[in-house]
Amino acid sequence: AIVAVLEHNGFEVLLPEQNCCGLPMQSNGNFDGARRYARALLHKLAPYAGQGIPIVVGGTSCGQELKADYREILGIHTAEAKMVAEQVYDISEFLWLLHEEGRLKTDFRDQGGRYIPVHTSCHQKLHRIGRPALDLLGLVPGLTVEEMGVDCCGITGTYGYKHEKYDIAQRVGQPLFDKLRASGVSQAICDNETCRWNIARSSGLEVIHTLQVLAEAYGVEEG
């Protein structure tokens, strides 16, 4: 969906060789392993960043890792880390900046009164970029989105998947699951991957990414 939306807006999309950003290891205290993955990924992305090519990320946790955590948590203060961080954008952030420049296509199909609830993940808030996903969805005619206003779904990366933490995580997320079920719809939006999995399993709704909604509204759903 990300590729389809970017190509619809006139971009050539490059998919360079890459590896995991290392966040799962970092979250579980394996900092040496996380640094190995981080350095490998930085080495692969730096040639593009060095040419001023934007690097867009569809997952809010991975994006935060590239933007800040490599330096602030893993202590990687190399020229590559700085160069890549300066070129990394959350995909919704990138598209909203494009809109502010008057360059985003807004030839969206009318959604006929469609309503979708939205959960903004903790890691999305960490980017400190406002709510560009909600801003973008607000451009689509006939679409109403509502932010649920619940702080956390409880999963917090890999924390909530651990056997000894799962019940705690579910109690944290219960207000969100209840609110989503009460909405009476079959779909919700969340741009963080582990949150999507947890919300879908615990609420019974299909949970999709903002870019899937935009691709559908553009009529360029990924095939």
Side-chain angles (χ1 to χ4, degrees):
I2 290 172
V3 172
V5 168
L6 287 171
E7 288 182 342
H8 184 71
N9 279 280
F11 288 94
E12 177 187 1
V13 180
L14 307 174
L15 296 171
E17 181 187 354
Q18 52 200 278
N19 53 261
C20 173
C21 68
L23 180 56
M25 283 168 281
Q26 175 186 300
S27 297
N28 287 280
N30 182 0
F31 294 110
D32 288 341
R35 289 186 189 100
R36 285 195 297 273
Y37 271 75
R39 291 189 177 104
L41 183 56
L42 287 169
H43 186 67
K44 292 167 183 172
L45 296 179
Y48 300 92
Q51 298 176 63
I53 297 174
I55 300 167
V56 296
V57 185
T60 56
S61 297
C62 303
Q64 179 68 11
E65 188 79 347
L66 286 162
K67 279 185 177 183
D69 288 0
Y70 283 173
R71 293 175 293 171
E72 295 177 5
I73 295 179
L74 296 180
I76 301 174
H77 296 288
T78 62
E80 282 188 337
K82 183 175 184 295
M83 188 189 315
V84 169
E86 290 173 348
Q87 292 298 327
V88 170
Y89 299 86
D90 177 79
I91 181 60
S92 291
E93 173 190 17
F94 180 79
L95 292 174
W96 186 250
L97 289 171
L98 201 68
H99 174 69
E100 289 184 328
E101 296 170 1
R103 297 169 55 203
L104 181 75
K105 291 186 177 180
T106 55
D107 54 336
F108 298 111
R109 298 174 177 178
D110 192 292
Q111 298 298 294
R114 183 181 180 188
Y115 166 78
I116 314 180
V118 178
H119 174 65
T120 302
S121 73
C122 305
H123 271 171
Q124 191 170 33
K125 294 169 187 171
L126 278 176
H127 286 242
R128 297 179 177 87
I129 54 176
R131 299 287 197 276
L134 290 168
D135 293 333
L136 287 167
L137 293 165
L139 299 175
V140 180
L143 174 67
T144 299
V145 294
E146 179 187 4
E147 189 172 24
M148 291 290 93
V150 177
D151 289 336
C152 184
C153 78
I155 205 68
T156 185
T158 58
Y159 172 92
Y161 282 113
K162 293 180 171 63
H163 176 75
E164 67 275 18
K165 302 296 186 184
Y166 184 75
D167 288 343
I168 297 172
Q170 293 305 100
R171 289 199 296 272
V172 170
Q174 197 63 52
L176 174 62
F177 311 146
D178 291 344
K179 199 168 184 180
L180 288 171
R181 282 194 291 265
S183 70
V185 296
S186 61
Q187 284 185 328
I189 296 171
C190 181
D191 290 352
N192 180 278
E193 42 287 315
T194 56
C195 299
R196 270 202 304 278
W197 305 335
N198 187 46
I199 296 167
R201 183 185 187 282
S202 300
S203 71
L205 276 67
E206 179 188 16
V207 187
I208 56 180
H209 193 284
T210 294
L211 268 287
Q212 291 174 273
V213 179
L214 294 180
E216 184 180 347
Y218 274 134
V220 293
E221 297 97 328
E222 71 273 31

